Amino acid sequence: SLAVGSRVLVVRSPWFAREGRVGRLPGEAMRVESGARCLVAEVELDGGGTVRVPRCNLEVLAGP
């Protein structure tokens, strides 16, 4: 299940196919780039940068 520290794969644009680690899971709905409000995860992308991604656009990866 999705938790802080989980390794994830982003499955939708604009960060499609990028991997990273969940750094934070805000408890309230937040506005994303599309203008929608939804539950998000703040993902620290491999290679640098932190992005806010709707939780439904993430796939949890197995392993360390």
Side-chain angles (χ1 to χ4, degrees):
S1 69
L2 190 63
V4 172
S6 296
R7 292 278 309 153
V8 293
L9 172 69
V10 182
V11 296
R12 297 289 304 253
S13 293
W15 301 287
F16 177 73
R18 299 282 306 269
E19 293 184 20
R21 189 167 302 280
V22 175
R24 190 168 162 260
L25 290 169
E28 67 282 348
M30 302 182 89
R31 191 166 309 282
V32 292
E33 287 190 1
S34 68
R37 291 182 58 82
C38 57
L39 291 175
V40 300
E42 290 184 4
V43 178
E44 299 163 2
L45 297 172
D46 294 351
T50 300
V51 295
R52 188 179 296 159
V53 181
R55 293 181 191 185
C56 62
N57 292 349
L58 295 173
E59 181 176 312
V60 178
L61 300 173

